[in-house]
Amino acid sequence: MEKVDNLYEGKAKIVYSTEDHNLVIQYFKDDATAFNAQKKGSIKDKGICNNQISAKLFQLLEKHNIPTHFVELLDEREMLVKKLDIIPVEFVVRNIAAGSIAKRLGLDEGVELLNPVVETYFKNDELGDPLINDDHIKVLNLASPEQIKICKDMVLKINTVLVNYFRALGIDLVDLKLEFGEHNGAILLGDEISPDTSRLW
């Protein structure tokens, strides 16, 4: 499968079209950002690691009947994925208080939450990806209530699979950002699952 056009370049990846309009290629970069891209740098071979980790975790989730956009690894930095109409909502699931939730709610860093907390953010770099609720999603027409319910149900299922997977490796999944999109009418997990999109202790 050959790359055709550069469709999109983000902080961590470049997405290329292919001769098949249903499939695209994700290229994982070594670029690293922090503080909402205010601090930028590069980490050698980060893209290679994130591509390999994402592929393994997508395959794990597929075995648990969670539909993803993953098709196959092409090489160490590229994977072939199904083309998605991205839902412009980022879903963050939190298992342990860390980062912004600890600051916002006055929780001690490292406290295990009684149950996973799912938060939604408006996927908009110019606005700094602000925290939003279901009413905001409706007002902004970002997704239908049915789509949000499907995504949130999938988020909790994904979280359970990954918490158990990482626990067996002696790693705590503190929190995780997930993105979804539509492909031929079905909602699939997209983007990536890697140390770039999760907090692992």
Side-chain angles (χ1 to χ4, degrees):
M1 189 68 68
E2 297 294 325
K3 297 190 290 282
V4 178
D5 294 316
N6 181 333
L7 296 177
Y8 167 82
E9 181 166 359
K11 296 186 283 278
K13 294 182 296 297
I14 304 173
V15 178
Y16 296 94
S17 64
T18 69
E19 58 268 27
D20 185 334
H21 73 277
N22 283 308
L23 300 173
V24 295
I25 292 171
Q26 285 194 154
Y27 173 89
F28 287 72
K29 305 192 296 185
D30 288 342
D31 295 355
T33 61
F35 308 111
N36 203 27
Q38 294 177 26
K39 187 174 183 180
K40 299 178 182 179
S42 179
I43 300 172
K44 186 178 184 298
D45 294 337
K46 179 182 81 86
I48 294 174
C49 293
N50 285 348
N51 185 37
Q52 304 293 318
I53 292 169
S54 291
K56 183 171 182 64
L57 295 180
F58 280 137
Q59 290 169 315
L60 171 69
L61 294 173
E62 291 276 2
K63 288 178 182 175
H64 285 83
N65 300 313
I66 296 167
T68 79
H69 71 161
F70 179 77
V71 176
E72 64 176 329
L73 272 178
L74 297 178
D75 58 36
E76 62 183 8
R77 283 189 183 273
E78 295 179 345
M79 66 169 61
L80 185 67
V81 299
K82 296 167 187 170
K83 186 177 182 181
L84 301 181
D85 291 322
I86 295 295
I87 296 170
V89 177
E90 296 178 348
F91 295 81
V92 175
V93 57
R94 301 181 184 276
N95 300 301
I96 297 171
S100 65
I101 194 172
K103 294 173 186 174
R104 276 188 281 117
L105 302 183
L107 299 172
D108 291 332
E109 190 103 1
V111 170
E112 187 169 345
L113 303 174
L114 292 176
N115 53 265
V117 173
V118 179
E119 298 175 338
T120 49
Y121 294 81
F122 182 18
K123 185 174 168 61
N124 187 311
D125 288 340
E126 290 181 7
L127 298 177
D129 300 331
L131 179 66
I132 55 177
N133 61 32
D134 288 0
D135 288 334
H136 295 130
I137 293 171
K138 185 176 180 180
V139 167
L140 295 171
N141 196 30
L142 303 179
S144 71
E146 293 78 14
Q147 287 175 318
I148 294 302
K149 184 182 186 311
I150 291 170
C151 290
K152 285 184 175 180
D153 288 347
M154 287 175 66
V155 165
L156 291 173
K157 188 174 180 182
I158 291 164
N159 185 60
T160 297
V161 171
L162 294 182
V163 163
N164 292 334
Y165 175 77
F166 284 116
R167 183 178 291 141
L169 300 174
I171 297 170
D172 289 328
L173 176 59
V174 177
D175 48 46
L176 172 68
K177 177 180 75 72
L178 298 167
E179 297 185 24
F180 298 88
E182 278 198 319
H183 178 81
N184 294 334
I187 293 180
L188 309 181
L189 175 64
D191 195 41
E192 64 178 293
I193 304 179
S194 73
D196 262 7
T197 59
S198 59
R199 198 185 318 248
L200 303 166
W201 287 354

Coordinates of all heavy atoms in Angstrom, one line a residue, residues 58-94:
F58 N -4.1 -2.3 19.8 CA -5.3 -2.4 18.9 C -5.6 -3.9 18.7 O -6.8 -4.3 18.8 CB -5.0 -1.8 17.6 CG -5.1 -0.3 17.6 CD1 -4.2 0.5 17.0 CD2 -6.2 0.3 18.2 CE1 -4.4 1.9 16.9 CE2 -6.4 1.7 18.2 CZ -5.4 2.5 17.6
Q59 N -4.6 -4.7 18.5 CA -4.8 -6.2 18.2 C -5.4 -6.8 19.5 O -6.3 -7.7 19.4 CB -3.5 -6.8 17.8 CG -3.1 -6.4 16.4 CD -1.7 -6.9 16.1 OE1 -0.8 -6.7 16.9 NE2 -1.5 -7.4 14.9
L60 N -4.9 -6.4 20.7 CA -5.5 -6.9 21.9 C -6.9 -6.6 22.1 O -7.8 -7.5 22.4 CB -4.7 -6.3 23.1 CG -5.2 -6.6 24.5 CD1 -5.1 -8.1 24.8 CD2 -4.5 -5.7 25.5
L61 N -7.3 -5.3 21.8 CA -8.7 -4.9 21.9 C -9.6 -5.6 20.9 O -10.7 -6.0 21.2 CB -8.8 -3.4 21.7 CG -8.1 -2.6 22.9 CD1 -8.1 -1.1 22.5 CD2 -8.8 -2.8 24.2
E62 N -9.1 -5.8 19.7 CA -9.9 -6.5 18.7 C -10.2 -8.0 19.2 O -11.3 -8.5 18.9 CB -9.1 -6.6 17.3 CG -9.0 -5.3 16.6 CD -10.2 -4.9 15.8 OE1 -11.2 -5.7 15.8 OE2 -10.1 -3.9 15.1
K63 N -9.3 -8.6 19.9 CA -9.5 -9.9 20.4 C -10.6 -9.9 21.5 O -11.2 -10.9 21.7 CB -8.2 -10.5 21.0 CG -7.2 -10.9 20.0 CD -5.9 -11.4 20.6 CE -4.9 -11.8 19.6 NZ -3.6 -12.2 20.2
H64 N -10.9 -8.7 22.0 CA -11.9 -8.6 23.0 C -13.2 -7.9 22.4 O -14.0 -7.3 23.1 CB -11.5 -7.7 24.2 CG -10.5 -8.5 25.1 ND1 -9.2 -8.6 24.9 CD2 -10.8 -9.1 26.3 CE1 -8.6 -9.3 25.9 NE2 -9.6 -9.6 26.7
N65 N -13.3 -8.1 21.1 CA -14.5 -7.6 20.3 C -14.7 -6.1 20.4 O -15.8 -5.7 20.4 CB -15.7 -8.4 20.8 CG -15.6 -9.9 20.6 OD1 -15.2 -10.3 19.5 ND2 -15.9 -10.7 21.6
I66 N -13.6 -5.4 20.5 CA -13.7 -3.9 20.4 C -13.2 -3.5 19.1 O -12.1 -3.7 18.7 CB -12.9 -3.2 21.5 CG1 -13.4 -3.6 22.9 CG2 -12.8 -1.7 21.4 CD1 -12.5 -3.3 24.1
P67 N -14.1 -2.9 18.3 CA -13.7 -2.5 16.9 C -12.8 -1.3 16.8 O -13.0 -0.3 17.4 CB -15.1 -2.2 16.2 CG -16.0 -1.8 17.3 CD -15.5 -2.5 18.5
T68 N -11.7 -1.5 16.1 CA -10.7 -0.4 15.9 C -10.5 -0.1 14.5 O -10.9 -0.9 13.6 CB -9.4 -0.7 16.6 OG1 -8.6 -1.6 15.7 CG2 -9.6 -1.4 18.0
H69 N -9.8 1.0 14.2 CA -9.4 1.3 12.8 C -8.2 0.5 12.3 O -7.9 0.6 11.1 CB -9.3 2.8 12.6 CG -8.0 3.4 13.2 ND1 -7.5 4.6 12.9 CD2 -7.2 2.9 14.2 CE1 -6.5 4.9 13.6 NE2 -6.2 3.9 14.4
F70 N -7.5 -0.2 13.1 CA -6.3 -0.9 12.8 C -6.5 -2.0 11.7 O -7.4 -2.8 11.8 CB -5.6 -1.5 14.0 CG -4.3 -2.2 13.7 CD1 -3.2 -1.5 13.5 CD2 -4.3 -3.6 13.7 CE1 -2.0 -2.1 13.3 CE2 -3.1 -4.2 13.4 CZ -1.9 -3.5 13.2
V71 N -5.6 -2.0 10.7 CA -5.6 -3.0 9.7 C -4.4 -3.8 9.8 O -4.4 -5.1 10.0 CB -5.8 -2.4 8.3 CG1 -5.7 -3.5 7.2 CG2 -7.1 -1.6 8.1
E72 N -3.2 -3.2 9.6 CA -1.9 -3.9 9.7 C -0.8 -3.0 9.9 O -0.8 -1.8 9.5 CB -1.7 -4.8 8.5 CG -1.5 -4.0 7.2 CD -1.2 -4.9 6.0 OE1 -0.6 -6.0 6.2 OE2 -1.6 -4.6 4.9
L73 N 0.3 -3.5 10.5 CA 1.6 -2.8 10.5 C 2.2 -2.8 9.1 O 2.3 -3.9 8.5 CB 2.6 -3.4 11.5 CG 2.5 -2.9 12.9 CD1 3.5 -3.7 13.7 CD2 2.8 -1.4 13.1
L74 N 2.7 -1.7 8.6 CA 3.4 -1.7 7.3 C 4.9 -1.7 7.5 O 5.6 -2.3 6.7 CB 3.0 -0.4 6.5 CG 1.5 -0.3 6.2 CD1 1.2 1.0 5.4 CD2 1.1 -1.5 5.3
D75 N 5.4 -1.0 8.5 CA 6.8 -1.0 8.8 C 7.0 -0.4 10.2 O 5.9 -0.3 10.9 CB 7.7 -0.2 7.8 CG 7.3 1.3 7.7 OD1 6.9 1.9 8.7 OD2 7.4 1.8 6.6
E76 N 8.2 -0.1 10.7 CA 8.4 0.3 12.1 C 7.7 1.6 12.4 O 7.4 1.8 13.6 CB 9.9 0.3 12.4 CG 10.7 1.3 11.6 CD 12.1 1.3 11.9 OE1 12.6 0.4 12.7 OE2 12.8 2.2 11.5
R77 N 7.4 2.4 11.4 CA 6.8 3.7 11.7 C 5.4 3.9 11.2 O 4.8 4.9 11.4 CB 7.7 4.9 11.2 CG 8.9 5.2 12.0 CD 9.6 6.4 11.5 NE 10.8 6.7 12.2 CZ 10.9 7.3 13.4 NH1 9.7 7.9 13.9 NH2 12.0 7.5 14.0
E78 N 4.9 3.0 10.4 CA 3.7 3.2 9.7 C 2.7 2.0 9.9 O 3.1 0.9 9.9 CB 3.9 3.4 8.2 CG 4.7 4.6 7.8 CD 4.9 4.7 6.3 OE1 4.8 3.7 5.6 OE2 5.3 5.8 5.9
M79 N 1.4 2.4 10.0 CA 0.4 1.4 10.1 C -0.7 1.8 9.1 O -1.0 3.0 8.9 CB -0.2 1.2 11.5 CG -0.9 2.4 12.1 SD -1.8 2.0 13.6 CE -0.5 1.5 14.7
L80 N -1.4 0.8 8.5 CA -2.5 0.9 7.7 C -3.8 0.9 8.5 O -3.9 0.0 9.3 CB -2.5 -0.1 6.6 CG -3.6 0.0 5.5 CD1 -3.4 1.2 4.6 CD2 -3.7 -1.3 4.7
V81 N -4.6 1.9 8.4 CA -5.9 2.0 9.2 C -7.1 2.3 8.3 O -6.9 2.9 7.2 CB -5.7 3.0 10.3 CG1 -4.6 2.6 11.3 CG2 -5.5 4.4 9.8
K82 N -8.2 2.0 8.8 CA -9.5 2.4 8.1 C -9.7 3.9 8.2 O -9.4 4.5 9.3 CB -10.7 1.7 8.7 CG -10.6 0.2 8.5 CD -11.6 -0.5 9.4 CE -11.4 -2.1 9.3 NZ -12.2 -2.8 10.3
K83 N -10.1 4.6 7.2 CA -10.3 6.0 7.2 C -11.6 6.3 8.0 O -12.6 5.7 7.8 CB -10.5 6.5 5.8 CG -10.6 8.1 5.7 CD -10.6 8.5 4.3 CE -10.6 10.1 4.2 NZ -10.7 10.5 2.8
L84 N -11.5 7.2 8.9 CA -12.6 7.6 9.8 C -13.0 9.0 9.6 O -12.2 9.9 9.3 CB -12.2 7.4 11.3 CG -11.7 6.0 11.8 CD1 -11.4 6.1 13.2 CD2 -12.7 5.0 11.5
D85 N -14.3 9.2 9.8 CA -14.9 10.6 10.0 C -14.8 10.8 11.5 O -15.6 10.2 12.3 CB -16.3 10.6 9.5 CG -16.4 10.5 8.0 OD1 -15.5 11.1 7.3 OD2 -17.4 9.9 7.5
I86 N -13.8 11.6 11.9 CA -13.5 11.7 13.3 C -14.6 12.4 14.1 O -15.1 13.5 13.7 CB -12.1 12.4 13.6 CG1 -11.0 11.5 13.0 CG2 -11.9 12.7 15.0 CD1 -10.8 10.2 13.7
I87 N -15.0 11.9 15.2 CA -15.9 12.6 16.1 C -15.0 13.6 16.9 O -14.1 13.1 17.6 CB -16.6 11.6 17.1 CG1 -17.5 10.7 16.3 CG2 -17.4 12.3 18.2 CD1 -18.1 9.5 17.0
P88 N -15.3 14.9 16.9 CA -14.4 15.9 17.5 C -14.5 16.0 19.0 O -14.6 17.1 19.6 CB -14.8 17.2 16.8 CG -16.2 17.0 16.4 CD -16.4 15.5 16.1
V89 N -14.5 14.8 19.6 CA -14.6 14.7 21.1 C -13.5 13.8 21.6 O -13.4 12.7 21.1 CB -16.0 14.3 21.6 CG1 -16.0 14.1 23.1 CG2 -17.1 15.2 21.1
E90 N -12.7 14.2 22.5 CA -11.7 13.4 23.1 C -12.3 12.8 24.4 O -12.8 13.5 25.2 CB -10.4 14.1 23.4 CG -9.7 14.6 22.1 CD -8.5 15.4 22.4 OE1 -8.3 15.8 23.6 OE2 -7.7 15.7 21.5
F91 N -12.1 11.5 24.6 CA -12.6 10.8 25.8 C -11.4 10.5 26.7 O -10.5 9.8 26.2 CB -13.4 9.6 25.4 CG -14.7 9.9 24.7 CD1 -14.6 10.1 23.3 CD2 -15.9 9.9 25.3 CE1 -15.8 10.3 22.6 CE2 -17.1 10.2 24.6 CZ -17.0 10.4 23.2
V92 N -11.5 10.9 27.9 CA -10.4 10.6 28.9 C -11.0 9.8 30.0 O -12.0 10.2 30.6 CB -9.7 11.9 29.4 CG1 -8.7 11.5 30.5 CG2 -9.0 12.7 28.3
V93 N -10.4 8.6 30.2 CA -10.9 7.8 31.3 C -9.8 7.8 32.4 O -8.6 7.6 32.1 CB -11.2 6.4 30.9 CG1 -10.1 5.7 30.2 CG2 -11.7 5.5 32.0
R94 N -10.2 8.0 33.6 CA -9.2 8.2 34.7 C -9.5 7.1 35.8 O -10.6 7.0 36.3 CB -9.3 9.6 35.3 CG -9.0 10.7 34.3 CD -9.1 12.1 35.0 NE -9.0 13.2 34.0 CZ -7.8 13.7 33.6 NH1 -6.7 13.1 34.0 NH2 -7.8 14.6 32.7

